[in-house]
Amino acid sequence: MPTRVETLDNGLKVILRPIPDAKALSTWVTYRIGSRNEVPGMTGSTHWVEHMLFKGGGKLKKGDIDRLVSRLGGKMNAFTDTDFTTYFETIPASAMDTALLIESERMRNAAFDPREVEAERTVVISEREGAENQPEFLVEEELWGLAFHVHPYHWTPIGYKQDLARFERDPLYRHYLRYYAPNNAFLVMVGGFDLAVAMQHIREAFAPLKPEPAPEPMPLVEPEQRGERRSDLRRPGSADLLAIGWHVPPFVHEDTPALIVLSTILGGWRGFTPFAAGEWRSRSNRLYRALVETKLATDTTVRQELKVDPALLIANATLAPKASLDAVEAVVDREVERLRKTAPAKSELDRAKRQVRTWFRYENDGVTYQGMMMTVMEALSSWDAADGVLARVEKVKPEEIRRAAARHLVDDRRSVVRFHAQEASA
């Protein structure tokens, strides 16, 4: 689809995709700030800032954002990732200026009222404590902490409770001012609008905002892992869990297409933006057949974490009652070893490619999903990067899958977390 890209004088990159006759539009404003930009003692600060940007400031009072979007029958949300933070509104096309008002006021004019900061402390700590009651979160946090000792992927975006308990308003506000600037952001708009009109309205809303000095690049690089790392967790839970993470290159690496197909063959593909997948699970993959169909597990997934920096390819399994962690891990090891030694059959490769193609179409269904796809891709590389990766996926050959497995799914560069479910105390 025709897409226009322009950068304002203050550094804000604008990416516009008009869709003729669309009755809605989706506006996404994203900041190149995630938990990877935090430091020890300030973990969770980016996520907390996200919460504060619903509290009003400038022309918007507390509650105005929700009221403005709700009365239009629209939807809005925001999320903090390791690599970026994004906000969106999907509303009727005729109400474009409502989204631009919300996002331009957010960018530089958030209030950070001290009373609201303190009230939000309770909210983010409660969110953290709620996550701690989920075994899946505990396993995920343990896995990233085990795999990354130097790089800030070591912690999750929600941060550590002790940091959340001690934050003061002023450092949090400085964090906002440093990163929430037009030259550290980009805007994506998809839907029913005229290009010239939209560009003029965007200039009117955002051009007056002053840029900030560019943030320093995140300097930390994770040293190569030289030896398997393991951890066992024992907490209340309904089932044992297994997670294995292998170090893989960043999204822009040349091996990404082969790793996408590899992960699809091993555990199924759930898209470039997994938010679209919901609870759907693929059944046409090796681990599902080897673990779920044999009653060793009730659920299994594989996901390649697409990140700015080197990240992880993760295999997860939820064990069936009476299944042993040793047995399930042995099956995963066997299937990974098969990939390292033997290239997949063409029929299996073609099925995996079809799955990736199908998800790509689904992820571009409607203005919200298109906006999300373009946003995630721009945060990682370029707004149109998914098209290029998809084209390269189509060209992946069976032997490239085997080589990618042999190069990246290496025991000495993996981390293993076992969750031993315990009965809750009375």
Side-chain angles (χ1 to χ4, degrees):
M1 296 181 184
T3 302
R4 175 175 174 177
V5 181
E6 183 173 329
T7 301
L8 304 187
D9 290 343
N10 60 12
L12 178 67
K13 186 173 184 178
V14 178
I15 305 164
L16 302 178
R17 174 176 287 175
I19 301 177
D21 303 321
K23 303 301 183 187
L25 61 80
S26 194
T27 303
W28 294 70
V29 174
T30 304
Y31 299 87
R32 298 185 185 278
I33 166 66
S35 56
R36 72 186 283 276
N37 303 100
E38 296 167 352
V39 296
M42 284 288 286
T43 68
S45 54
T46 308
H47 177 241
W48 196 337
V49 167
E50 176 216 311
H51 279 230
M52 295 308 301
L53 267 58
F54 287 88
K55 300 291 185 178
K59 298 175 183 176
L60 300 172
K61 298 188 296 293
K62 180 182 177 181
D64 278 356
I65 295 174
D66 183 58
R67 282 191 289 270
L68 286 168
V69 175
S70 295
R71 76 183 186 189
L72 294 168
K75 60 182 176 182
M76 63 169 188
N77 213 331
F79 57 87
T80 302
D81 185 67
T82 52
D83 298 327
F84 61 92
T85 306
T86 191
Y87 304 79
F88 81 91
E89 298 82 30
T90 299
I91 55 178
S94 59
M96 175 198 303
D97 286 339
T98 298
L100 299 181
L101 169 67
I102 291 170
E103 296 306 335
S104 59
E105 290 300 305
R106 263 191 180 130
M107 186 169 283
R108 301 303 289 163
N109 296 327
F112 281 75
D113 181 291
R115 292 167 299 180
E116 292 295 338
V117 172
E118 196 57 38
E120 205 61 27
R121 184 190 311 277
T122 303
V123 175
V124 293
I125 289 177
S126 177
E127 187 174 338
R128 166 78 209 192
E129 290 173 342
E132 290 172 356
N133 291 326
Q134 303 299 319
E136 292 80 6
F137 170 81
L138 297 174
V139 168
E140 184 83 359
E141 183 173 58
E142 184 76 7
L143 182 66
W144 288 91
L146 200 60
F148 289 90
H149 288 179
V150 173
H151 191 283
Y153 287 163
H154 178 81
W155 53 78
T156 63
I158 201 169
Y160 296 131
K161 186 175 177 179
Q162 60 266 36
D163 291 344
L164 302 177
R166 60 178 289 275
F167 278 166
E168 298 294 337
R169 183 264 184 192
D170 289 351
L172 203 61
Y173 186 56
R174 287 196 296 269
H175 190 72
Y176 162 69
L177 291 177
R178 181 183 183 191
Y179 290 103
Y180 277 70
N183 54 316
N184 196 46
F186 60 89
L187 182 152
V188 171
M189 183 182 289
V190 180
F193 57 84
D194 176 83
L195 268 174
V197 171
M199 200 64 232
Q200 179 59 33
H201 286 222
I202 290 167
R203 286 195 194 95
E204 291 172 358
F206 289 92
L209 303 179
K210 298 291 193 293
E212 288 285 321
E216 292 292 326
M218 201 286 292
L220 299 175
V221 176
E222 184 68 24
E224 182 179 350
Q225 182 175 329
R226 299 180 181 274
E228 181 186 80
R229 299 170 185 166
R230 303 181 74 87
S231 179
D232 287 87
L233 300 178
R234 288 173 174 82
R235 301 282 194 283
S238 59
D240 291 348
L241 305 173
L242 174 70
I244 303 175
W246 295 266
H247 285 276
V248 292
F251 174 74
V252 297
H253 195 274
E254 62 182 6
D255 284 352
T256 291
L259 286 166
I260 286 173
V261 182
L262 182 158
S263 64
T264 306
I265 289 171
L266 186 61
W269 178 248
R270 301 176 73 236
F272 290 100
T273 58
F275 309 101
E279 296 302 315
W280 181 85
R281 295 287 190 268
S282 167
R283 297 182 178 183
S284 57
N285 60 76
R286 294 188 179 186
L287 286 185
Y288 186 91
R289 290 192 293 271
L291 291 173
V292 179
E293 291 185 358
T294 61
K295 310 299 184 185
L296 285 172
T298 59
D299 187 31
T300 182
T301 61
V302 171
R303 72 182 192 277
Q304 181 188 354
E305 290 283 351
L306 304 175
K307 300 290 184 184
V308 169
D309 297 324
L312 297 176
L313 188 149
I314 302 172
N316 290 98
T318 303
L319 273 64
K322 299 182 180 180
S324 78
L325 284 159
D326 285 342
V328 170
E329 186 176 340
V331 170
V332 176
D333 290 345
R334 182 192 73 202
E335 295 302 328
V336 168
E337 182 65 12
R338 282 179 61 203
L339 282 170
R340 287 195 292 243
K341 286 190 172 180
T342 307
K346 183 177 182 301
S347 58
E348 188 175 30
L349 178 62
D350 290 345
R351 183 168 60 245
K353 291 179 179 180
R354 275 198 307 274
Q355 193 174 127
V356 176
R357 281 198 305 272
T358 299
W359 267 109
F360 187 70
R361 288 194 292 269
Y362 180 65
E363 290 179 288
N364 281 281
D365 183 20
V367 296
T368 302
Y369 280 169
Q370 285 190 46
M372 182 188 296
M373 172 69 80
M374 294 167 69
T375 290
V376 172
M377 290 297 106
E378 176 65 22
L380 295 176
S381 171
S382 171
W383 63 269
D384 57 351
D387 298 281
V389 172
L390 189 67
R392 290 160 59 201
V393 162
E394 295 290 354
K395 297 178 181 178
V396 169
K397 296 179 172 55
E399 178 59 19
E400 292 178 75
I401 305 297
R402 190 201 64 76
R403 285 202 300 266
R407 182 179 301 126
H408 300 295
L409 302 192
V410 178
D411 289 349
D412 279 350
R413 294 201 296 274
R414 77 174 189 172
S415 298
V416 181
V417 177
R418 291 178 166 205
F419 181 87
H420 304 262
Q422 310 291 297
E423 289 188 12
S425 57

